[in-house]
Amino acid sequence: MPRKPNNSRQTRTLLAALLDSGLTWRHGYDLSKETGLRSGTLYPLLMRLSEQGLLESRWQEAERPGLPPRHAYRLTASGLALAREQELAAIAAERKEALA
Amino acid sequence: MSTLRGSRRLAVRLARHAALALPGASSPWTEAMRRELAYIADDRAALRWAFGCVLASYKARLAARSGSRTRDALRQAAASGAVMLVIGLAFLENAGGQTEPPRPIPDEPACDAQNTAADTGQMPATGAAGIAPDARRPARRPEASCTDPHSEMRMPLTSEPSRGESQ
């Protein structure tokens, strides 16, 4: 049976973190700290979500002088829809477990 | 650069290596990972981040390579399929839609030179050892199509055995 795409625990964690931020731009290191995902896991996920059109990225100028521009990320409309769908599915699964 | 401490220097080198290892199309991502390093204050955390960058770039590289292998395999399979189809069509065209080998037509008059020769008492031209003609067996006239129109006159037919002879 083929695996459902974007349904791994790490992807769900990342999508949940990005959904909480809404339309706010997030940075890689911040996301890594919040989700507990290391850069070796986080960046492949970000790349994949971006390829699928679920994530948009842009370069942001540094807030302090002397620092390089930073890559920032947020979910696209379809990414937000998927993240909401997964959140609802997770809530439904939790309720089902509680009832059982 | 010389003021950087050992672990930070190593982190910078690793991030640079990660940038080199990642395929060219993903260069914004390598830059993103590398530049993020400047925002990590803790040296150990920076080193861990850099190790992760190397891992991420190798993962992306492997994914790109396996993707191209899959594409190659699909291309080969498609080419083989096309060749098989062409060969199949060529066979079908040559066969003229036949599914069985052609059967002999029963109405067609057969011309058996050897049997005719045995019946008429003549030795076949190619036979090394002839079969002696059976005098009791009634002579069979050769098929009209196998003989020329004047053969009836020249053919030495054996006489029908009479009852007296057989007894």
Side-chain angles (χ1 to χ4, degrees), chain A residues 27 29-30 33 60-70, chain B residues 8 35-42:
Chain A
H27 301 113
Y29 188 52
D30 299 337
K33 279 197 289 187
Q60 273 184 345
E61 284 302 316
E63 292 163 5
R64 283 180 293 160
L67 286 171
R70 228 174 166 186
Chain B
R8 174 65 66 164
R35 288 183 186 184
E36 204 65 21
L37 206 60
Y39 292 87
I40 304 171
D42 183 35

Side-chain angles (χ1 to χ4, degrees), chain B residues 20-109:
Chain B
L20 291 172
L22 206 67
S26 314
S27 56
W29 292 100
T30 58
E31 275 302 297
M33 287 190 282
R34 201 169 63 81
R35 288 183 186 184
E36 204 65 21
L37 206 60
Y39 292 87
I40 304 171
D42 183 35
D43 286 348
R44 284 193 171 192
L47 192 58
R48 276 200 300 273
W49 182 264
F51 269 121
C53 292
V54 173
L55 192 67
S57 59
Y58 275 101
K59 274 183 190 174
R61 194 174 178 166
L62 277 175
R65 192 175 285 181
S66 65
S68 69
R69 273 188 192 164
T70 310
R71 275 196 297 275
D72 285 348
L74 283 173
R75 215 172 287 158
Q76 278 179 1
S80 311
V83 168
M84 295 290 274
L85 187 69
V86 167
I87 291 169
L89 283 173
F91 270 121
L92 199 66
E93 207 159 290
N94 283 342
Q98 278 183 355
T99 52
E100 288 178 9
R103 289 179 183 171
I105 301 162
D107 293 334
E108 196 175 304

